[in-house]
Amino acid sequence: MKKFSFIILLFFIISCPVLADVYKFPSNFESISKQIPKIHSIKCKFKQEKHLQNISKPLISSGDFEFVENKGVYFHTLYPFESTVDYTNKNYKQINDIINAISAKKYSRLEREFYFFYEGNINKWTLGMKPKKNSNAYNYISSITLNGADYINKIIIKQTNGNMTTLWFTK
Amino acid sequence: MVYKIRIFILLIIIILLCFLGFTHKGYIETNLLKTLLPQKVINSTDIVSIANKSSSVIKVIFENDNQEDLDKLKHDFIKQIDTDYFEITTPDVSKILNKYLLQPTNFLSKETKILLKGKKYDEIYAKSIEKLYNPTGIQLTTLDKDPYLLLDDFILSNRKISDKIDYLDGKYYDYMSIKFKKNEALSPDISNKKIRELINFQRYLSDNHSKIYLAGAPIHSYYTSTRSVTDINIICILSTLIIIFLTLKYFRDLKLLLPMALSIIFGMLLGFVTTKLWFENFQVITMVFSTTLIGIGIDYSYHYFFADKVDSKFIKNLSFSFITTVVPFALLYFTGIELLEQVAVFTIFGLLGIYLIVLFIYPCFNAVKPVKNYEPQTNIYKICLFIIFILSMAGFARLHFNDNLTALYTPTRDLLKAENLYNKISGEEAYSQIITVKADNINKIIETEEKITKELDANNIEYISLSKIFPSVKTQYENYNLVKNLYHNNLNNYSDILSANQIRKLKTAKFVPIKFDNMYLNDLMLNEKTSLIVVFGNKKLNLNEKNVGVINLQSDIRYYMTHYRHILMGLFPVVLILLYMLLACLYNYRKAFITILPSIGGIVAAILMTALIYGELNLFSVITIFLVLGFTIDYSIFRINSEENTESAVFVSCVTTSFSFLMLALCGFKLLSSMALILFFGITTSYIIGYLLIKKYFNPLLMENQNHEYAKWFQVEEQSAGKKRLYLSWFLFKIFGKNILYVIAFFMSVFTFIFASKIRKYSEKYLKTVEEYTGLKSNLLNKFKHILSYANSLVDKMLVYSGNFNESDIIFDNDADKKTLFEDIEKKCGVFFICNHIGNIEILQTLLLNQQKTPNFKVNIFMSNRQSQIFNDFLKTLKINFPVNIFQVEEIDLNTGIELKENLNKGDMVFIAGDRLAQNNDARSVTVKFLSRDIKLPQGAFKLAKLMEVPTYFISAIKIGNKYHVILEKQQNLSEKELVKSYVKFMERTIKINPFQFFHFYDFFN
């Protein structure tokens, strides 16, 4: 059993990247924009899991999420404590710009900062972004992966220091 | 043969100069600040480097209807930028970040430090947990190294929140800034070429929907220099055309343009090469001043070609004019401002080149003679002068100085729009002051900065500093200890997340200093040993630290501008005095004064009129007045020596020069145009003043002075009287009353006293003669009093004839004499008065007339031709019905005697002066001793008196205080000879009463 588990684990290790690694499919904004729907305003729940480098236990949080077209996003965390992060104000301008750019399909702005990768179709897609060497994000972020259909379902942010944040959005 | 040798030598010199000029290693300096500030200021402060730093940035603004295309626009533009020359100024923070990561807890924000010092550990913990759970929150370091996210906090606290705008009035905006990589070493040619490329991309990428704006100092410089070049080219063409036109008009031969061009080119070449060798570099702005050379070159050339013959007199004039132009420029050399030193060297040597060419090379060309001469329009000049006077008066109210560099330049509307847009979009706050900190190593610099910024924090002054970004080792150690305390007191709260081992490791970590080595922050460092603290706001900074300087670019530069303006303004009178002394040595003190006067008048008018137009003047305006002086003094020197064709030469060179400057005044660059305007006004005004003053007014006297040392009274033009002045005075009197006339008289006296040296000389001679009788010294004050008393007597005359003189102000000295006189008058058999030019006899004539009841009674007066004409015209114009018969003293004959006798028989009075010889009547005079000196008196007056056989009186009306005292002597039974003797005694008696009332302003005692 132990061996079986090991084989399964090995399978996953090998197969997961093959199945999920969008980073094998470099793309450009022009083709991507045709295959990803424009994202409209939405209210939903979110769940977050942060895996920090050198820390064994992940940090988990959840709460309400809201996206307002052309304006930005709000995270209202309810667990493990209540707090609100408003990305629409100018303190988070850069982050907000990225979110707005993706939702409005204005990829050219992002293309200057990121390499694009795409896999899937308009109904189920994965978008990968890796910062270019000259971009500001290069020092902190190694990749951002977005999974979605009509809306974005999941975002994975991998940092250069080994931290990884996964965000799920559910109705 | 001689000429061929000369040309040969000239060619060799030109080749040599070209060789020197192009092989010498000097460079062209284009940095305006470096040219303006003295070397010691440049060396002792970082003002120039800091100014360069901020002036090398090009700002680019992108505008588009839609966000997507805006990004593409920016992207396309960046692709076009030539990265060999430009760098995009996004600071590379990765190096610093890597240093932070080595020891994250060495870096604490101001707020965290306060909390730590206050031991508010729980608050710090709560904050860090919130950050940790923050969705999409990115931690810079790992939790086992910085569990409280203190480094994130430190970095966030340093990030200046900008008010960047990317959407405005329906359009999307983005911006960036780029700068030249090696801006100082870059030649203006290359930098202009590179900016032209950027402008071409800008045009290529702009369309109806998208637009690129360029702003920043390099763009301003580019537009200014290219526009100025275009303007100057047009001006050169127009000026050449006017030179050709005038040459054709006056010479019908264009051959003389060749030597003219040769002189200018040679002068410029000599000036350029000498300046380059002298100073190691050549400042571009010196070229602007080289226009003086062109003007003076043309000036000398026209004088040469208009001159009748090139004799020693011409050479003397040319040399004088050369020396007098050199003097003011030579003084500029000692101002300590390199720009002015260069202007001085350039102009002096350039001028020398032109001078030598005119002297030695011009004779090699065939003589070209003028076909016509210019005839000045005196009346037009007078009208112009009147307009200039009015404008100058109006300008006086607006005259003020503005020493801001920005006042020298007004950007075009488009550039101004781009600048404003950039400020709006980028939200960048303009800094106003910079603190420079110097030390041997960066850690020491940062330590000093920390001391300074502590004060800034205490005063709530906003700033950006290296110490804020990278604290000193000392501060890092302090931070380490604070964090250590935090870990000991609070880190156990992290036991859920961190392992026991991790907690232990954190608590026992040793201090590791992180040094700011091998890094360079361009915005906050001037060089390896100098850092900059950028301070916002204008609060005055008083820092007493060693090796710390405060630079406020605007106000510091303004300070130097003001300082040098003051030096130059102080120098100007010195230049004038030196020039005056020089001219006085070359000519005489009076001629020197007249030579310099048109230039002063021109400069004053130019300054005032330019102030009227621009409202403000600056250092460059003051420099320009030296140039005006250099130009205009030449005109006066040539004029004062009254060569036959001088006026044409002066006119033609004035027209060409002032025309060029008028054109330049219309160019777009305010610095150039205001300088050109001063030159234009200065040159034209001093031309007009010079013409009216030297040619029309003084020159006849100057010439006369040279020919006849002594003059008769009729040869001296009456300086204080004259038809027009009489009418003007009358007009003013009607408006303002009699006091204005005395004021005018005073100023006329001052004027006469200064300019009419002949009158002054005669006054001196008279005062010396009477000194032993009256005790009056012949000093300046007494001479002036003498002239003033004559001017006042003219006013009294006017009051008398217009019936405005108060009779009670006339007193008879002796009542018995008065009684006898009135008895004689009442007999109606006529009275004969022999009066004199001591006092004011006209006073008496009216009094006597007014007391006469007979309607047909008249006064018969003898006057000189000119006097009687003015007097008659005056009375006629003023419609004064004054019963007077005027006889001309030059035309006394038998008929006059008969007519006079008839009039006397009717009861008339006759007044004849016994102390002046008529013109052309020298022979009929009698020599007598008067105050121990021989004088000549007219025989006619005394002969007539005897012939008429009526009561004869000697009479004088002397003013004492405000009253006229009538001195009267009846003469009875005397022979003609005795009558003369008695008359001389009477004169001696009256003179002693008031010596200033002796109104013979000619060589009476000759």
Side-chain angles (χ1 to χ4, degrees):
Chain A
M1 185 63 195
K2 216 174 184 179
K3 199 170 185 181
F4 177 71
S5 305
F6 175 70
I7 290 167
I8 288 178
L9 189 67
L10 192 70
F11 174 73
F12 263 102
I13 291 168
I14 299 163
S15 67
C16 272
V18 176
L19 289 172
D21 194 355
V22 65
Y23 295 101
K24 290 212 162 142
F25 306 98
S27 192
N28 60 54
F29 84 93
E30 246 178 274
S31 60
I32 292 169
S33 65
K34 285 175 200 152
Q35 297 175 68
I36 290 182
K38 195 171 177 211
I39 293 162
H40 303 287
S41 300
I42 186 178
K43 271 186 181 179
C44 63
K45 301 269 177 214
F46 81 90
K47 190 193 159 198
Q48 181 190 244
E49 213 177 280
K50 267 194 182 179
H51 290 271
L52 302 175
Q53 182 73 16
N54 305 333
I55 306 293
S56 51
K57 199 179 151 193
L59 304 176
I60 294 168
S61 60
S62 63
D64 294 333
F65 169 80
E66 189 181 352
F67 168 66
V68 182
E69 230 177 314
N70 293 326
K71 238 185 134 189
V73 296
Y74 303 88
F75 284 94
H76 187 195
T77 307
L78 297 167
Y79 171 83
F81 52 87
E82 196 181 334
S83 87
T84 304
V85 183
D86 178 359
Y87 281 116
T88 59
N89 72 35
K90 60 187 178 191
N91 287 348
Y92 299 100
K93 195 170 182 343
Q94 267 181 314
I95 298 168
N96 204 32
D97 281 351
I98 295 174
I99 296 166
N100 275 324
I102 297 170
S103 62
K105 303 214 292 182
K106 284 169 180 169
Y107 296 105
S108 71
R109 186 186 187 117
L110 291 172
E111 204 179 32
R112 250 183 359 247
E113 309 245 334
F114 296 95
Y115 294 111
F116 284 95
F117 305 87
Y118 180 83
E119 203 205 352
N121 54 54
I122 196 143
N123 298 317
K124 193 172 187 292
W125 47 267
T126 304
L127 173 68
M129 285 160 45
K130 280 190 169 183
K132 288 184 175 175
K133 205 170 180 181
N134 60 1
S135 87
N136 288 331
Y138 185 78
N139 292 310
Y140 324 107
I141 293 170
S142 58
S143 72
I144 302 172
T145 315
L146 296 101
N147 287 31
D150 287 347
Y151 293 98
I152 297 168
N153 297 330
K154 188 170 103 182
I155 299 174
I156 306 166
I157 302 162
K158 286 186 177 170
Q159 278 188 249
T160 47
N161 60 10
N163 292 354
M164 186 175 91
T165 308
T166 311
L167 277 156
W168 289 270
F169 300 97
T170 51
K171 288 259 174 183
Chain B
M1 188 60 197
V2 180
Y3 291 158
K4 276 184 183 165
I5 293 170
R6 284 186 192 181
I7 300 240
F8 180 70
I9 294 170
L10 176 73
L11 282 175
I12 289 182
I13 297 173
I14 289 178
I15 292 166
L16 195 71
L17 286 175
C18 287
F19 177 76
L20 276 171
F22 294 107
T23 54
H24 183 66
K25 271 191 193 141
Y27 60 96
I28 311 267
E29 178 63 65
T30 53
N31 190 315
L32 188 65
L33 263 189
K34 266 197 184 169
T35 55
L36 282 177
L37 298 179
Q39 205 57 42
K40 67 169 194 277
V41 174
I42 295 170
N43 294 340
S44 64
T45 73
D46 298 307
I47 194 161
V48 173
S49 331
I50 289 170
N52 283 346
K53 224 179 164 84
S54 63
S55 67
S56 63
V57 178
I58 300 170
K59 305 163 185 171
V60 192
I61 305 133
F62 305 93
E63 178 191 275
N64 202 299
D65 295 347
N66 107 22
Q67 176 90 54
E68 194 79 354
D69 294 340
L70 179 71
D71 295 330
K72 192 174 173 308
L73 182 68
K74 187 174 176 185
H75 188 60
D76 288 346
F77 186 79
I78 290 171
K79 267 203 305 203
Q80 305 281 359
I81 294 171
D82 186 344
T83 45
D84 289 342
Y85 290 95
F86 294 109
E87 55 186 334
I88 298 168
T89 52
T90 36
D92 179 20
V93 292
S94 61
K95 258 190 181 174
I96 296 182
L97 190 70
N98 287 334
K99 292 242 179 193
Y100 288 157
L101 294 173
L102 291 173
Q103 207 62 32
T105 51
N106 284 11
F107 305 94
L108 294 177
S109 75
K110 210 163 78 183
E111 291 72 24
T112 310
K113 260 178 121 164
I114 295 168
L115 291 175
L116 284 172
K117 280 178 183 169
K119 298 197 175 16
K120 293 182 176 160
Y121 303 128
D122 288 339
E123 207 173 305
I124 292 176
Y125 171 71
K127 266 187 163 183
S128 62
I129 284 297
E130 195 170 317
K131 262 187 229 150
L132 206 54
Y133 278 94
N134 187 348
T136 73
I138 292 163
Q139 285 74 48
L140 290 172
T141 181
T142 54
L143 220 55
D144 58 326
K145 280 188 177 155
D146 182 14
Y148 293 90
L149 306 177
L150 297 174
L151 181 63
D152 295 71
D153 177 61
F154 170 72
I155 290 172
L156 272 178
S157 76
N158 268 339
R159 200 186 60 175
K160 206 168 156 18
I161 298 161
S162 74
D163 298 316
K164 195 183 150 188
I165 293 173
D166 48 15
Y167 187 77
L168 194 77
D169 301 333
K171 288 188 191 296
Y172 290 91
Y173 288 96
D174 199 352
Y175 70 94
M176 61 185 277
S177 55
I178 52 178
K179 63 186 251 184
F180 278 112
K181 274 186 169 161
K182 295 166 240 157
N183 99 79
E184 278 191 58
L186 218 56
S187 84
D189 273 355
I190 295 173
S191 63
N192 271 354
K193 192 179 149 213
K194 288 290 144 191
I195 290 174
R196 192 159 50 241
E197 276 175 19
L198 288 185
I199 290 168
N200 286 340
F201 302 146
Q202 173 200 22
R203 287 183 186 146
Y204 173 70
L205 293 169
S206 297
D207 56 33
N208 288 339
H209 303 288
S210 42
K211 222 172 189 173
I212 295 174
Y213 300 92
L214 296 173
I219 303 294
H220 288 268
S221 314
Y222 171 79
Y223 276 114
T224 308
S225 63
T226 46
R227 245 192 89 185
S228 300
V229 167
T230 318
D231 286 349
I232 289 169
N233 282 341
I234 294 170
I235 290 158
C236 282
I237 293 167
L238 287 174
S239 304
T240 314
L241 286 178
I242 193 134
I243 292 172
I244 292 172
F245 168 76
L246 287 172
T247 309
L248 278 177
K249 188 174 173 195
Y250 288 100
F251 292 91
R252 297 236 168 80
D253 195 339
L254 289 177
K255 261 184 263 158
L256 67 142
L257 292 181
L258 180 68
M260 210 183 266
L262 182 72
S263 72
I264 294 168
I265 291 168
F266 182 74
M268 296 268 243
L269 190 65
L270 187 65
F272 174 70
V273 173
T274 323
T275 313
K276 219 174 148 192
L277 292 176
W278 198 301
F279 292 95
E280 292 294 308
N281 67 53
F282 185 83
Q283 299 183 340
V284 147
I285 203 159
T286 310
M287 281 307 271
V288 177
F289 291 90
S290 67
T291 46
T292 327
L293 277 191
I294 302 174
I296 294 176
I298 292 167
D299 193 10
Y300 285 4
S301 305
Y302 277 127
H303 275 115
Y304 180 90
F305 293 114
F306 270 108
D308 232 8
K309 52 185 185 295
V310 181
D311 52 8
S312 62
K313 196 172 177 186
F314 173 80
I315 294 171
K316 192 177 144 194
N317 275 343
L318 192 71
S319 308
F320 280 11
S321 116
F322 170 65
I323 295 166
T324 47
T325 313
V326 163
V327 168
F329 282 101
L331 278 171
L332 286 184
Y333 186 79
F334 301 101
T335 49
I337 308 169
E338 194 175 339
L339 169 68
L340 299 185
E341 290 172 4
Q342 288 210 4
V343 169
V345 171
F346 183 87
T347 314
I348 290 170
F349 280 89
L351 213 56
L352 179 69
I354 293 171
Y355 173 73
L356 292 176
I357 292 279
V358 172
L359 273 192
F360 296 107
I361 304 297
Y362 274 27
C364 307
F365 292 92
N366 289 334
V368 181
K369 287 288 151 211
V371 289
K372 66 188 276 188
N373 276 318
Y374 168 69
E375 274 159 30
Q377 306 290 315
T378 312
N379 285 335
I380 294 177
Y381 286 178
K382 284 182 178 168
I383 293 167
C384 287
L385 196 62
F386 180 70
I387 295 168
I388 288 169
F389 179 74
I390 299 290
L391 291 177
S392 303
M393 286 299 111
F396 194 73
R398 270 168 68 88
L399 178 69
H400 73 274
F401 288 94
N402 183 349
D403 293 313
N404 273 337
L405 264 191
T406 46
L408 301 176
Y409 166 71
T410 327
T412 59
R413 258 195 15 231
D414 286 347
L415 272 175
L416 205 62
K417 189 183 164 195
E419 284 297 340
N420 289 336
L421 197 62
Y422 184 86
N423 291 343
K424 223 183 218 174
I425 302 298
S426 69
E428 274 180 19
E429 210 178 324
Y431 65 85
S432 49
Q433 296 184 83
I434 283 177
I435 302 170
T436 55
V437 182
K438 282 182 203 290
D440 291 339
N441 64 61
I442 199 77
N443 194 49
K444 272 190 189 161
I445 290 179
I446 296 172
E447 273 182 29
T448 320
E449 276 199 1
E450 280 168 350
K451 269 190 218 162
I452 296 165
T453 51
K454 220 179 221 172
E455 270 182 58
L456 297 182
D457 284 332
N459 288 308
N460 282 328
I461 297 171
E462 261 197 82
Y463 62 90
I464 301 172
S465 69
L466 203 58
S467 63
K468 241 186 182 182
I469 292 168
F470 212 93
S472 67
V473 173
K474 203 173 135 195
T475 308
Q476 286 179 34
Y477 184 66
E478 195 186 307
N479 292 348
Y480 160 80
N481 283 324
L482 286 170
V483 175
K484 208 173 169 184
N485 288 339
L486 170 71
Y487 287 171
H488 279 291
N489 290 299
N490 194 279
L491 197 58
N492 291 340
N493 285 334
Y494 269 95
S495 53
D496 274 2
I497 300 169
L498 296 172
S499 68
N501 193 29
Q502 283 170 328
I503 289 175
R504 188 181 48 79
K505 253 189 176 172
L506 281 169
K507 280 184 174 174
T508 56
K510 291 258 176 311
F511 172 67
V512 181
I514 306 296
K515 286 185 178 160
F516 188 93
D517 288 337
N518 307 320
M519 286 200 295
Y520 194 81
L521 271 183
N522 200 30
D523 287 342
L524 293 174
M525 287 167 78
L526 201 58
N527 52 52
E528 299 291 343
K529 288 177 179 174
T530 316
S531 80
L532 308 171
I533 303 176
V534 178
V535 181
F536 302 93
N538 260 325
K539 247 187 199 176
K540 184 124 183 69
L541 302 171
N542 288 318
L543 304 169
N544 298 320
E545 291 291 327
K546 226 177 143 190
N547 293 325
V548 171
V550 179
I551 290 172
N552 185 333
L553 271 187
Q554 286 268 336
S555 73
D556 285 1
I557 293 169
R558 191 174 54 231
Y559 166 79
Y560 289 115
M561 296 291 110
T562 314
H563 181 63
Y564 290 114
R565 182 168 60 73
H566 286 162
I567 290 182
L568 282 182
M569 283 164 82
L571 191 66
F572 190 65
V574 179
V575 169
L576 283 184
I577 291 166
L578 266 177
L579 209 54
Y580 175 74
M581 279 157 58
L582 180 72
L583 285 167
C585 292
L586 298 173
Y587 306 118
N588 59 50
Y589 70 97
R590 178 164 174 263
K591 214 166 160 184
F593 190 77
I594 295 165
T595 310
I596 217 165
L597 207 59
S599 301
I600 298 174
I603 286 166
V604 172
I607 288 286
L608 292 175
M609 284 195 284
T610 311
L612 181 70
I613 291 172
Y614 283 104
E616 55 192 26
L617 301 168
N618 51 48
L619 172 68
F620 289 92
S621 321
V622 183
I623 298 174
T624 316
I625 63 177
F626 286 83
L627 304 189
V628 176
L629 189 64
F631 271 110
T632 53
I633 204 84
D634 286 5
Y635 299 161
S636 299
I637 286 175
F638 276 96
R639 261 175 177 152
I640 205 113
N641 292 304
S642 213
E643 284 297 322
E644 204 177 304
N645 292 332
T646 313
E647 204 44 48
S648 305
V650 171
F651 172 74
V652 172
S653 54
C654 169
V655 168
T656 48
T657 320
S658 57
F659 178 79
S660 311
F661 285 124
L662 179 64
M663 292 294 108
L664 192 63
L666 301 175
C667 91
F669 189 18
K670 203 173 154 193
L671 169 67
L672 281 188
S673 60
S674 69
M675 284 172 67
L677 200 63
I678 293 180
L679 279 159
F680 168 71
F681 283 142
I683 291 168
T684 11
T685 309
S686 85
Y687 169 80
I688 294 170
I689 296 177
Y691 173 74
L692 296 175
L693 202 65
I694 297 171
K695 279 282 161 191
K696 288 301 284 182
Y697 194 68
F698 282 106
N699 234 23
L701 271 183
L702 290 172
M703 295 306 293
E704 193 184 305
N705 222 355
Q706 286 159 5
N707 298 336
H708 314 277
E709 193 53 30
Y710 296 106
K712 302 283 186 218
W713 69 271
F714 43 79
Q715 287 165 331
V716 179
E717 198 177 342
E718 287 205 35
Q719 309 265 344
S720 306
K723 203 166 150 189
K724 283 174 195 164
R725 275 191 291 276
L726 220 52
Y727 292 150
L728 180 69
S729 310
W730 177 252
F731 177 70
L732 290 170
F733 162 65
K734 277 291 175 202
I735 299 171
F736 299 107
K738 69 176 182 182
N739 285 340
I740 188 82
L741 290 183
Y742 289 109
V743 174
I744 293 172
F746 178 82
F747 283 107
M748 289 305 285
S749 310
V750 173
F751 188 73
T752 310
F753 181 73
I754 294 169
F755 296 112
S757 71
K758 197 175 275 181
I759 287 181
R760 222 170 40 237
K761 195 194 292 170
Y762 297 138
S763 169
E764 185 179 339
K765 196 169 180 183
Y766 159 73
L767 288 169
K768 270 187 184 154
T769 312
V770 299
E771 193 178 330
E772 59 179 294
Y773 302 96
T774 59
L776 276 182
K777 289 258 179 298
S778 146
N779 55 23
L780 281 178
L781 178 68
N782 284 338
K783 277 187 260 179
F784 177 70
K785 274 187 180 168
H786 190 192
I787 293 167
L788 179 66
S789 115
Y790 177 62
N792 284 338
S793 82
L794 294 177
V795 176
D796 293 341
K797 255 180 227 187
M798 189 176 284
L799 295 177
V800 163
Y801 287 130
S802 59
N804 288 294
F805 197 85
N806 193 349
E807 281 179 20
S808 61
D809 285 343
I810 306 172
I811 304 161
F812 277 82
D813 239 26
N814 188 325
D815 282 345
D817 288 342
K818 183 184 175 183
K819 202 177 156 215
T820 321
L821 174 66
F822 280 93
E823 278 170 10
D824 280 338
I825 293 171
E826 271 162 26
K827 282 180 196 160
K828 295 204 168 60
C829 55
V831 179
F832 196 95
F833 292 103
I834 302 180
C835 54
N836 50 38
H837 289 80
I838 302 167
N840 204 352
I841 198 64
E842 284 83 350
I843 297 290
L844 206 65
Q845 291 165 359
T846 18
L847 176 81
L848 296 175
L849 266 173
N850 290 348
Q851 296 204 347
Q852 267 300 332
K853 317 269 172 343
T854 322
N856 289 330
F857 174 82
K858 276 192 173 178
V859 170
N860 301 269
I861 307 172
F862 284 85
M863 280 183 173
S864 82
N865 229 332
R866 186 177 145 80
Q867 272 179 320
S868 61
Q869 202 182 340
I870 294 173
F871 185 69
N872 272 337
D873 285 353
F874 177 65
L875 292 183
K876 237 184 248 169
T877 315
L878 303 185
K879 298 201 173 82
I880 292 173
N881 188 17
F882 194 75
V884 64
N885 282 327
I886 294 170
F887 292 88
Q888 285 172 4
V889 80
E890 295 88 349
E891 293 165 8
I892 299 178
D893 55 13
L894 195 63
N895 288 337
T896 322
I898 296 166
E899 197 183 336
L900 218 54
K901 182 69 192 159
E902 280 173 4
N903 290 349
L904 282 167
N905 288 343
K906 280 192 269 170
D908 280 6
M909 284 182 266
V910 172
F911 281 86
I912 186 162
D915 55 351
R916 257 187 201 176
L917 284 181
Q919 196 170 355
N920 309 325
N921 230 353
D922 229 20
R924 282 191 260 172
S925 66
V926 52
T927 306
V928 289
K929 279 256 185 270
F930 171 65
L931 300 173
S932 317
R933 298 286 289 261
D934 280 341
I935 59 160
K936 278 181 180 170
L937 293 180
Q939 277 181 323
F942 302 96
K943 266 204 171 89
L944 269 178
K946 289 302 300 172
L947 275 172
M948 293 301 121
E949 294 175 325
V950 291
T952 301
Y953 286 87
F954 295 154
I955 192 163
S956 251
I958 311 284
K959 199 174 186 180
I960 302 169
N962 286 328
K963 308 253 183 219
Y964 274 96
H965 290 247
V966 179
I967 324 282
L968 206 58
E969 258 181 33
K970 189 172 181 178
Q971 307 298 321
Q972 278 170 321
N973 307 322
L974 295 177
S975 68
E976 191 188 314
K977 218 175 172 181
E978 286 166 337
L979 199 60
V980 173
K981 245 186 190 170
S982 169
Y983 181 75
V984 170
K985 277 201 179 119
F986 177 74
M987 272 176 49
E988 286 174 345
R989 188 185 137 204
T990 41
I991 271 180
K992 284 171 195 164
I993 297 171
N994 185 353
F996 294 122
Q997 299 262 304
F998 180 84
F999 297 143
H1000 289 279
F1001 289 100
Y1002 64 98
D1003 194 25
F1004 186 76
F1005 294 98
N1006 188 23

